[in-house]
Amino acid sequence: MYGNDFSAPDDATGGGLLGEVEAAEAELRAAAARQRRGGPAPDEDLAAYFTAVVDAEQKIEPRDWMPDAYRKTLIRQIAQHAHSEIIGMQPEGNWISRAPSLKRKAILLAKVQDEAGHGLYLYAAAETLGISRDELVRLLLDGRQKYSSIFNYPTLTWADMGAIGWLVDGAAIVNQVPLCRCSYGPYARAMIRVCKEESFHQRQGYEILHTLSHGTPEQQAMAQDAVDRWWYPSLAMFGPPDGNSTHSAQSMAWKIKRFSNDDLRQRFVDMCVQQAEILGLRIPDEDLRWNEERQAYDYTQPDYDELMRVISGDGPCNRERIARRRAAHAEGAWVREAAAAYAAKRAGQKEKVAA
Amino acid sequence: MEQTPLWEVFVRARRGLSHTHVGSLHAPDAELALRNARDLYTRRQEGVSIWVVPAGAITASSPDEKDAFFDPAADKVYRHPTFYEVPDGVAHL
């Protein structure tokens, strides 16, 4: 059933964020259809050409000239995003064998498989910038590139699967929908694909929480406990406040990023309040209230010192996550070697037949 | 170990449409590339046919080629039907 979410793109209930993804896709096609500039003129300044393409909302493609810093920023960002998808399989994978029914198990398996797929789309996009897959994997395993801080928190109960879907995937979607309009073509296209699939993730999480919160008092309490634990780490996913965000201004100018961290965080909070009411669950923030003047909710900021600690390696599960990834990579070596040996053997046989 | 080869993946969404590039992946040989492409790019019935092509086998024109590669087509407006004036009253043309 969960496949239907994707194969019916005209579904009117899709609205909201999914609607925005489709708008971004339409915009991408429209921009491509507009009078398109060819390559730069022989005597044209390459930097000026790059800026003109970006300002005209056209996409930069892999073989276009681009500033070194733009390339580096994209590699860092896309790689970090890919690593997050790969590490993100762990907290949920933790519950596959203990899902409460066969249906829930099948859904969770499909979701974790999606995360692997998202990681691969993104690695492929990063590789178009001239970095190799092996290098990217190495950077993750050596801890020289980061992944999202959120995956360093433990998944203690089944309700965490619901809270991750609703809050973590919800925050990820708010963050990622604007990336569908990123100036770098391969990243924008990968994000459109990711966001469409991500919406099933968010809905399945919401459904888990809704079922629990309308169940027994124990189930209700378990759902509330999960929301209590995941709320602030989810808010922290949007990164440090605008004043302290090192990469923001330049990324905005390059149209890699479209909105500031704080704007996106506010948008997420405003979305969640009504959704929480329907769930019958409480957002753990005494100071959460509607601000008529700002036409937005006032809310308590997450603990940014904690965010920095978790990013720098000192979260509840950092060591466990990286150790597990290293072990999986090492234990999978024989599969890669066997596949390569088999491919070499077959190539050898073909040559013999040809000769 | 040598890097596993890179493959470009093209998917035909429905009968009657052309194959469209959807992304790339690594696989040791063509057969596994095809299977991996099925698992990676068509988990939700996005296609009825897949092509995989070794990335190294693709020769691409360069966007910043100095001698403008596509220029020869730019001054041949007479290749478009709108170049020709049709007298009033002519039908079926």
Side-chain angles (χ1 to χ4, degrees), chain A residues 155-188:
Chain A
T155 44
L156 304 178
T157 70
W158 169 252
D160 286 16
M161 297 304 97
I164 286 183
W166 177 43
L167 295 174
V168 175
D169 292 327
I173 292 174
V174 169
N175 236 332
Q176 291 170 7
V177 163
L179 291 173
C180 295
R181 295 169 58 222
C182 167
S183 60
Y184 187 58
Y187 192 28

PDB file of all heavy atoms in Angstrom, chain A residues 155-188:
ATOM      1  N   THR A 155      17.313   4.937  19.786  1.00  0.00           N
ATOM      2  CA  THR A 155      15.888   4.638  19.595  1.00  0.00           C
ATOM      3  C   THR A 155      15.471   3.624  20.646  1.00  0.00           C
ATOM      4  O   THR A 155      15.708   2.429  20.498  1.00  0.00           O
ATOM      5  CB  THR A 155      15.637   4.058  18.194  1.00  0.00           C
ATOM      6  OG1 THR A 155      16.657   3.080  17.897  1.00  0.00           O
ATOM      7  CG2 THR A 155      15.710   5.138  17.134  1.00  0.00           C
ATOM      8  N   LEU A 156      14.849   4.114  21.698  1.00  0.00           N
ATOM      9  CA  LEU A 156      14.618   3.293  22.885  1.00  0.00           C
ATOM     10  C   LEU A 156      13.345   2.456  22.824  1.00  0.00           C
ATOM     11  O   LEU A 156      13.283   1.391  23.432  1.00  0.00           O
ATOM     12  CB  LEU A 156      14.589   4.180  24.135  1.00  0.00           C
ATOM     13  CG  LEU A 156      15.849   5.049  24.349  1.00  0.00           C
ATOM     14  CD1 LEU A 156      15.686   5.923  25.589  1.00  0.00           C
ATOM     15  CD2 LEU A 156      17.087   4.175  24.471  1.00  0.00           C
ATOM     16  N   THR A 157      12.314   2.967  22.147  1.00  0.00           N
ATOM     17  CA  THR A 157      11.048   2.220  22.099  1.00  0.00           C
ATOM     18  C   THR A 157      10.506   2.203  20.678  1.00  0.00           C
ATOM     19  O   THR A 157      10.976   2.944  19.811  1.00  0.00           O
ATOM     20  CB  THR A 157       9.953   2.871  22.987  1.00  0.00           C
ATOM     21  OG1 THR A 157       9.547   4.110  22.377  1.00  0.00           O
ATOM     22  CG2 THR A 157      10.453   3.135  24.392  1.00  0.00           C
ATOM     23  N   TRP A 158       9.470   1.406  20.443  1.00  0.00           N
ATOM     24  CA  TRP A 158       8.834   1.357  19.125  1.00  0.00           C
ATOM     25  C   TRP A 158       8.275   2.737  18.746  1.00  0.00           C
ATOM     26  O   TRP A 158       8.286   3.132  17.580  1.00  0.00           O
ATOM     27  CB  TRP A 158       7.737   0.286  19.096  1.00  0.00           C
ATOM     28  CG  TRP A 158       6.901   0.390  17.866  1.00  0.00           C
ATOM     29  CD1 TRP A 158       5.614   0.836  17.765  1.00  0.00           C
ATOM     30  CD2 TRP A 158       7.325   0.087  16.523  1.00  0.00           C
ATOM     31  NE1 TRP A 158       5.213   0.828  16.458  1.00  0.00           N
ATOM     32  CE2 TRP A 158       6.243   0.378  15.667  1.00  0.00           C
ATOM     33  CE3 TRP A 158       8.513  -0.376  15.957  1.00  0.00           C
ATOM     34  CZ2 TRP A 158       6.294   0.204  14.294  1.00  0.00           C
ATOM     35  CZ3 TRP A 158       8.580  -0.555  14.580  1.00  0.00           C
ATOM     36  CH2 TRP A 158       7.484  -0.265  13.758  1.00  0.00           C
ATOM     37  N   ALA A 159       7.814   3.478  19.747  1.00  0.00           N
ATOM     38  CA  ALA A 159       7.244   4.797  19.451  1.00  0.00           C
ATOM     39  C   ALA A 159       8.284   5.719  18.816  1.00  0.00           C
ATOM     40  O   ALA A 159       7.926   6.669  18.116  1.00  0.00           O
ATOM     41  CB  ALA A 159       6.684   5.432  20.733  1.00  0.00           C
ATOM     42  N   ASP A 160       9.559   5.422  19.053  1.00  0.00           N
ATOM     43  CA  ASP A 160      10.606   6.248  18.435  1.00  0.00           C
ATOM     44  C   ASP A 160      10.551   6.158  16.916  1.00  0.00           C
ATOM     45  O   ASP A 160      10.941   7.088  16.209  1.00  0.00           O
ATOM     46  CB  ASP A 160      11.994   5.830  18.938  1.00  0.00           C
ATOM     47  CG  ASP A 160      12.239   6.290  20.377  1.00  0.00           C
ATOM     48  OD1 ASP A 160      11.251   6.649  21.053  1.00  0.00           O
ATOM     49  OD2 ASP A 160      13.399   6.291  20.812  1.00  0.00           O
ATOM     50  N   MET A 161      10.071   5.022  16.397  1.00  0.00           N
ATOM     51  CA  MET A 161       9.916   4.900  14.937  1.00  0.00           C
ATOM     52  C   MET A 161       8.881   5.913  14.449  1.00  0.00           C
ATOM     53  O   MET A 161       9.018   6.501  13.377  1.00  0.00           O
ATOM     54  CB  MET A 161       9.483   3.488  14.544  1.00  0.00           C
ATOM     55  CG  MET A 161      10.480   2.383  14.878  1.00  0.00           C
ATOM     56  SD  MET A 161      12.114   2.666  14.175  1.00  0.00           S
ATOM     57  CE  MET A 161      12.955   3.394  15.574  1.00  0.00           C
ATOM     58  N   GLY A 162       7.862   6.115  15.274  1.00  0.00           N
ATOM     59  CA  GLY A 162       6.852   7.115  14.931  1.00  0.00           C
ATOM     60  C   GLY A 162       7.408   8.522  15.025  1.00  0.00           C
ATOM     61  O   GLY A 162       7.241   9.342  14.107  1.00  0.00           O
ATOM     62  N   ALA A 163       8.119   8.798  16.114  1.00  0.00           N
ATOM     63  CA  ALA A 163       8.645  10.156  16.331  1.00  0.00           C
ATOM     64  C   ALA A 163       9.699  10.503  15.278  1.00  0.00           C
ATOM     65  O   ALA A 163       9.777  11.642  14.813  1.00  0.00           O
ATOM     66  CB  ALA A 163       9.230  10.269  17.747  1.00  0.00           C
ATOM     67  N   ILE A 164      10.488   9.510  14.885  1.00  0.00           N
ATOM     68  CA  ILE A 164      11.495   9.777  13.853  1.00  0.00           C
ATOM     69  C   ILE A 164      10.806  10.119  12.537  1.00  0.00           C
ATOM     70  O   ILE A 164      11.161  11.081  11.858  1.00  0.00           O
ATOM     71  CB  ILE A 164      12.448   8.571  13.676  1.00  0.00           C
ATOM     72  CG1 ILE A 164      13.410   8.503  14.865  1.00  0.00           C
ATOM     73  CG2 ILE A 164      13.239   8.688  12.381  1.00  0.00           C
ATOM     74  CD1 ILE A 164      14.438   7.402  14.759  1.00  0.00           C
ATOM     75  N   GLY A 165       9.791   9.327  12.188  1.00  0.00           N
ATOM     76  CA  GLY A 165       9.081   9.601  10.941  1.00  0.00           C
ATOM     77  C   GLY A 165       8.437  10.980  10.958  1.00  0.00           C
ATOM     78  O   GLY A 165       8.608  11.766  10.026  1.00  0.00           O
ATOM     79  N   TRP A 166       7.719  11.262  12.024  1.00  0.00           N
ATOM     80  CA  TRP A 166       6.989  12.533  12.075  1.00  0.00           C
ATOM     81  C   TRP A 166       7.935  13.727  12.231  1.00  0.00           C
ATOM     82  O   TRP A 166       7.899  14.660  11.424  1.00  0.00           O
ATOM     83  CB  TRP A 166       5.972  12.500  13.238  1.00  0.00           C
ATOM     84  CG  TRP A 166       5.238  13.803  13.403  1.00  0.00           C
ATOM     85  CD1 TRP A 166       4.719  14.583  12.412  1.00  0.00           C
ATOM     86  CD2 TRP A 166       4.958  14.484  14.631  1.00  0.00           C
ATOM     87  NE1 TRP A 166       4.128  15.700  12.950  1.00  0.00           N
ATOM     88  CE2 TRP A 166       4.250  15.665  14.305  1.00  0.00           C
ATOM     89  CE3 TRP A 166       5.221  14.197  15.986  1.00  0.00           C
ATOM     90  CZ2 TRP A 166       3.820  16.575  15.280  1.00  0.00           C
ATOM     91  CZ3 TRP A 166       4.774  15.098  16.946  1.00  0.00           C
ATOM     92  CH2 TRP A 166       4.091  16.274  16.598  1.00  0.00           C
ATOM     93  N   LEU A 167       8.807  13.679  13.240  1.00  0.00           N
ATOM     94  CA  LEU A 167       9.618  14.860  13.541  1.00  0.00           C
ATOM     95  C   LEU A 167      10.929  14.904  12.749  1.00  0.00           C
ATOM     96  O   LEU A 167      11.232  15.922  12.123  1.00  0.00           O
ATOM     97  CB  LEU A 167       9.922  14.918  15.045  1.00  0.00           C
ATOM     98  CG  LEU A 167       8.697  15.114  15.945  1.00  0.00           C
ATOM     99  CD1 LEU A 167       9.092  15.005  17.416  1.00  0.00           C
ATOM    100  CD2 LEU A 167       8.018  16.456  15.659  1.00  0.00           C
ATOM    101  N   VAL A 168      11.684  13.825  12.784  1.00  0.00           N
ATOM    102  CA  VAL A 168      13.003  13.853  12.130  1.00  0.00           C
ATOM    103  C   VAL A 168      12.842  13.934  10.605  1.00  0.00           C
ATOM    104  O   VAL A 168      13.448  14.773   9.944  1.00  0.00           O
ATOM    105  CB  VAL A 168      13.849  12.627  12.534  1.00  0.00           C
ATOM    106  CG1 VAL A 168      15.157  12.590  11.761  1.00  0.00           C
ATOM    107  CG2 VAL A 168      14.114  12.649  14.040  1.00  0.00           C
ATOM    108  N   ASP A 169      11.991  13.059  10.058  1.00  0.00           N
ATOM    109  CA  ASP A 169      11.771  13.127   8.609  1.00  0.00           C
ATOM    110  C   ASP A 169      11.027  14.409   8.244  1.00  0.00           C
ATOM    111  O   ASP A 169      11.259  14.994   7.189  1.00  0.00           O
ATOM    112  CB  ASP A 169      11.015  11.895   8.111  1.00  0.00           C
ATOM    113  CG  ASP A 169      11.860  10.622   8.229  1.00  0.00           C
ATOM    114  OD1 ASP A 169      13.087  10.728   8.065  1.00  0.00           O
ATOM    115  OD2 ASP A 169      11.302   9.552   8.486  1.00  0.00           O
ATOM    116  N   GLY A 170      10.137  14.841   9.132  1.00  0.00           N
ATOM    117  CA  GLY A 170       9.425  16.105   8.894  1.00  0.00           C
ATOM    118  C   GLY A 170      10.408  17.271   8.805  1.00  0.00           C
ATOM    119  O   GLY A 170      10.339  18.093   7.882  1.00  0.00           O
ATOM    120  N   ALA A 171      11.336  17.327   9.756  1.00  0.00           N
ATOM    121  CA  ALA A 171      12.340  18.397   9.744  1.00  0.00           C
ATOM    122  C   ALA A 171      13.228  18.271   8.508  1.00  0.00           C
ATOM    123  O   ALA A 171      13.563  19.264   7.853  1.00  0.00           O
ATOM    124  CB  ALA A 171      13.192  18.339  11.014  1.00  0.00           C
ATOM    125  N   ALA A 172      13.561  17.025   8.170  1.00  0.00           N
ATOM    126  CA  ALA A 172      14.406  16.813   6.990  1.00  0.00           C
ATOM    127  C   ALA A 172      13.694  17.324   5.741  1.00  0.00           C
ATOM    128  O   ALA A 172      14.308  17.977   4.893  1.00  0.00           O
ATOM    129  CB  ALA A 172      14.744  15.328   6.846  1.00  0.00           C
ATOM    130  N   ILE A 173      12.399  17.081   5.641  1.00  0.00           N
ATOM    131  CA  ILE A 173      11.663  17.518   4.446  1.00  0.00           C
ATOM    132  C   ILE A 173      11.640  19.048   4.369  1.00  0.00           C
ATOM    133  O   ILE A 173      11.876  19.628   3.308  1.00  0.00           O
ATOM    134  CB  ILE A 173      10.225  16.945   4.439  1.00  0.00           C
ATOM    135  CG1 ILE A 173      10.275  15.425   4.254  1.00  0.00           C
ATOM    136  CG2 ILE A 173       9.407  17.563   3.321  1.00  0.00           C
ATOM    137  CD1 ILE A 173       8.922  14.749   4.378  1.00  0.00           C
ATOM    138  N   VAL A 174      11.361  19.696   5.513  1.00  0.00           N
ATOM    139  CA  VAL A 174      11.344  21.169   5.510  1.00  0.00           C
ATOM    140  C   VAL A 174      12.699  21.708   5.051  1.00  0.00           C
ATOM    141  O   VAL A 174      12.794  22.675   4.291  1.00  0.00           O
ATOM    142  CB  VAL A 174      10.985  21.709   6.910  1.00  0.00           C
ATOM    143  CG1 VAL A 174      11.227  23.205   7.009  1.00  0.00           C
ATOM    144  CG2 VAL A 174       9.527  21.383   7.232  1.00  0.00           C
ATOM    145  N   ASN A 175      13.750  21.052   5.493  1.00  0.00           N
ATOM    146  CA  ASN A 175      15.109  21.432   5.106  1.00  0.00           C
ATOM    147  C   ASN A 175      15.377  21.158   3.633  1.00  0.00           C
ATOM    148  O   ASN A 175      16.071  21.906   2.952  1.00  0.00           O
ATOM    149  CB  ASN A 175      16.096  20.579   5.911  1.00  0.00           C
ATOM    150  CG  ASN A 175      17.058  21.437   6.691  1.00  0.00           C
ATOM    151  OD1 ASN A 175      17.360  22.551   6.284  1.00  0.00           O
ATOM    152  ND2 ASN A 175      17.542  20.917   7.795  1.00  0.00           N
ATOM    153  N   GLN A 176      14.842  20.044   3.159  1.00  0.00           N
ATOM    154  CA  GLN A 176      15.249  19.543   1.842  1.00  0.00           C
ATOM    155  C   GLN A 176      14.394  20.036   0.689  1.00  0.00           C
ATOM    156  O   GLN A 176      14.881  20.106  -0.440  1.00  0.00           O
ATOM    157  CB  GLN A 176      15.242  18.001   1.864  1.00  0.00           C
ATOM    158  CG  GLN A 176      16.355  17.453   2.742  1.00  0.00           C
ATOM    159  CD  GLN A 176      16.232  15.963   2.989  1.00  0.00           C
ATOM    160  OE1 GLN A 176      15.381  15.302   2.405  1.00  0.00           O
ATOM    161  NE2 GLN A 176      17.068  15.439   3.843  1.00  0.00           N
ATOM    162  N   VAL A 177      13.139  20.392   0.967  1.00  0.00           N
ATOM    163  CA  VAL A 177      12.293  20.851  -0.132  1.00  0.00           C
ATOM    164  C   VAL A 177      12.925  22.044  -0.867  1.00  0.00           C
ATOM    165  O   VAL A 177      12.980  22.041  -2.101  1.00  0.00           O
ATOM    166  CB  VAL A 177      10.853  21.149   0.361  1.00  0.00           C
ATOM    167  CG1 VAL A 177      10.105  22.006  -0.632  1.00  0.00           C
ATOM    168  CG2 VAL A 177      10.103  19.838   0.575  1.00  0.00           C
ATOM    169  N   PRO A 178      13.468  23.027  -0.143  1.00  0.00           N
ATOM    170  CA  PRO A 178      14.108  24.130  -0.886  1.00  0.00           C
ATOM    171  C   PRO A 178      15.335  23.670  -1.685  1.00  0.00           C
ATOM    172  O   PRO A 178      15.702  24.312  -2.667  1.00  0.00           O
ATOM    173  CB  PRO A 178      14.523  25.119   0.210  1.00  0.00           C
ATOM    174  CG  PRO A 178      13.703  24.762   1.396  1.00  0.00           C
ATOM    175  CD  PRO A 178      13.445  23.291   1.302  1.00  0.00           C
ATOM    176  N   LEU A 179      15.941  22.555  -1.276  1.00  0.00           N
ATOM    177  CA  LEU A 179      17.122  22.063  -2.016  1.00  0.00           C
ATOM    178  C   LEU A 179      16.743  21.507  -3.390  1.00  0.00           C
ATOM    179  O   LEU A 179      17.593  21.356  -4.258  1.00  0.00           O
ATOM    180  CB  LEU A 179      17.851  20.987  -1.202  1.00  0.00           C
ATOM    181  CG  LEU A 179      18.561  21.481   0.058  1.00  0.00           C
ATOM    182  CD1 LEU A 179      19.088  20.303   0.858  1.00  0.00           C
ATOM    183  CD2 LEU A 179      19.692  22.432  -0.298  1.00  0.00           C
ATOM    184  N   CYS A 180      15.450  21.226  -3.571  1.00  0.00           N
ATOM    185  CA  CYS A 180      14.986  20.791  -4.898  1.00  0.00           C
ATOM    186  C   CYS A 180      15.212  21.911  -5.913  1.00  0.00           C
ATOM    187  O   CYS A 180      15.163  21.681  -7.112  1.00  0.00           O
ATOM    188  CB  CYS A 180      13.499  20.441  -4.871  1.00  0.00           C
ATOM    189  SG  CYS A 180      13.099  19.024  -3.848  1.00  0.00           S
ATOM    190  N   ARG A 181      15.418  23.144  -5.421  1.00  0.00           N
ATOM    191  CA  ARG A 181      15.645  24.282  -6.315  1.00  0.00           C
ATOM    192  C   ARG A 181      17.103  24.739  -6.287  1.00  0.00           C
ATOM    193  O   ARG A 181      17.425  25.844  -6.731  1.00  0.00           O
ATOM    194  CB  ARG A 181      14.711  25.431  -5.917  1.00  0.00           C
ATOM    195  CG  ARG A 181      13.237  25.088  -6.127  1.00  0.00           C
ATOM    196  CD  ARG A 181      12.319  26.112  -5.483  1.00  0.00           C
ATOM    197  NE  ARG A 181      12.559  27.446  -5.993  1.00  0.00           N
ATOM    198  CZ  ARG A 181      12.599  28.543  -5.226  1.00  0.00           C
ATOM    199  NH1 ARG A 181      12.421  28.439  -3.932  1.00  0.00           N
ATOM    200  NH2 ARG A 181      12.827  29.702  -5.758  1.00  0.00           N
ATOM    201  N   CYS A 182      17.967  23.884  -5.759  1.00  0.00           N
ATOM    202  CA  CYS A 182      19.400  24.204  -5.681  1.00  0.00           C
ATOM    203  C   CYS A 182      19.980  24.480  -7.071  1.00  0.00           C
ATOM    204  O   CYS A 182      19.532  23.908  -8.067  1.00  0.00           O
ATOM    205  CB  CYS A 182      20.114  23.021  -5.037  1.00  0.00           C
ATOM    206  SG  CYS A 182      21.889  23.056  -5.181  1.00  0.00           S
ATOM    207  N   SER A 183      20.980  25.350  -7.135  1.00  0.00           N
ATOM    208  CA  SER A 183      21.535  25.742  -8.437  1.00  0.00           C
ATOM    209  C   SER A 183      22.336  24.622  -9.103  1.00  0.00           C
ATOM    210  O   SER A 183      22.609  24.694 -10.296  1.00  0.00           O
ATOM    211  CB  SER A 183      22.421  26.977  -8.276  1.00  0.00           C
ATOM    212  OG  SER A 183      23.481  26.702  -7.385  1.00  0.00           O
ATOM    213  N   TYR A 184      22.739  23.599  -8.353  1.00  0.00           N
ATOM    214  CA  TYR A 184      23.514  22.527  -8.964  1.00  0.00           C
ATOM    215  C   TYR A 184      22.566  21.412  -9.440  1.00  0.00           C
ATOM    216  O   TYR A 184      21.906  20.754  -8.624  1.00  0.00           O
ATOM    217  CB  TYR A 184      24.553  21.973  -7.979  1.00  0.00           C
ATOM    218  CG  TYR A 184      25.481  20.980  -8.643  1.00  0.00           C
ATOM    219  CD1 TYR A 184      26.240  21.351  -9.754  1.00  0.00           C
ATOM    220  CD2 TYR A 184      25.578  19.669  -8.200  1.00  0.00           C
ATOM    221  CE1 TYR A 184      27.063  20.444 -10.399  1.00  0.00           C
ATOM    222  CE2 TYR A 184      26.412  18.758  -8.825  1.00  0.00           C
ATOM    223  CZ  TYR A 184      27.153  19.154  -9.927  1.00  0.00           C
ATOM    224  OH  TYR A 184      27.967  18.257 -10.569  1.00  0.00           O
ATOM    225  N   GLY A 185      22.494  21.213 -10.729  1.00  0.00           N
ATOM    226  CA  GLY A 185      21.520  20.314 -11.342  1.00  0.00           C
ATOM    227  C   GLY A 185      21.428  18.920 -10.735  1.00  0.00           C
ATOM    228  O   GLY A 185      20.347  18.502 -10.308  1.00  0.00           O
ATOM    229  N   PRO A 186      22.554  18.174 -10.677  1.00  0.00           N
ATOM    230  CA  PRO A 186      22.452  16.797 -10.159  1.00  0.00           C
ATOM    231  C   PRO A 186      21.931  16.729  -8.723  1.00  0.00           C
ATOM    232  O   PRO A 186      21.203  15.807  -8.359  1.00  0.00           O
ATOM    233  CB  PRO A 186      23.908  16.294 -10.227  1.00  0.00           C
ATOM    234  CG  PRO A 186      24.503  17.068 -11.356  1.00  0.00           C
ATOM    235  CD  PRO A 186      23.874  18.439 -11.263  1.00  0.00           C
ATOM    236  N   TYR A 187      22.277  17.718  -7.900  1.00  0.00           N
ATOM    237  CA  TYR A 187      21.800  17.741  -6.511  1.00  0.00           C
ATOM    238  C   TYR A 187      20.302  18.042  -6.490  1.00  0.00           C
ATOM    239  O   TYR A 187      19.530  17.370  -5.800  1.00  0.00           O
ATOM    240  CB  TYR A 187      22.580  18.799  -5.726  1.00  0.00           C
ATOM    241  CG  TYR A 187      22.410  18.750  -4.215  1.00  0.00           C
ATOM    242  CD1 TYR A 187      22.114  17.568  -3.548  1.00  0.00           C
ATOM    243  CD2 TYR A 187      22.578  19.911  -3.446  1.00  0.00           C
ATOM    244  CE1 TYR A 187      21.980  17.542  -2.164  1.00  0.00           C
ATOM    245  CE2 TYR A 187      22.454  19.893  -2.069  1.00  0.00           C
ATOM    246  CZ  TYR A 187      22.150  18.716  -1.422  1.00  0.00           C
ATOM    247  OH  TYR A 187      22.029  18.696  -0.059  1.00  0.00           O
ATOM    248  N   ALA A 188      19.876  19.032  -7.281  1.00  0.00           N
ATOM    249  CA  ALA A 188      18.456  19.399  -7.318  1.00  0.00           C
ATOM    250  C   ALA A 188      17.618  18.196  -7.761  1.00  0.00           C
ATOM    251  O   ALA A 188      16.586  17.878  -7.156  1.00  0.00           O
ATOM    252  CB  ALA A 188      18.240  20.581  -8.257  1.00  0.00           C
TER     253      ALA A 188
END
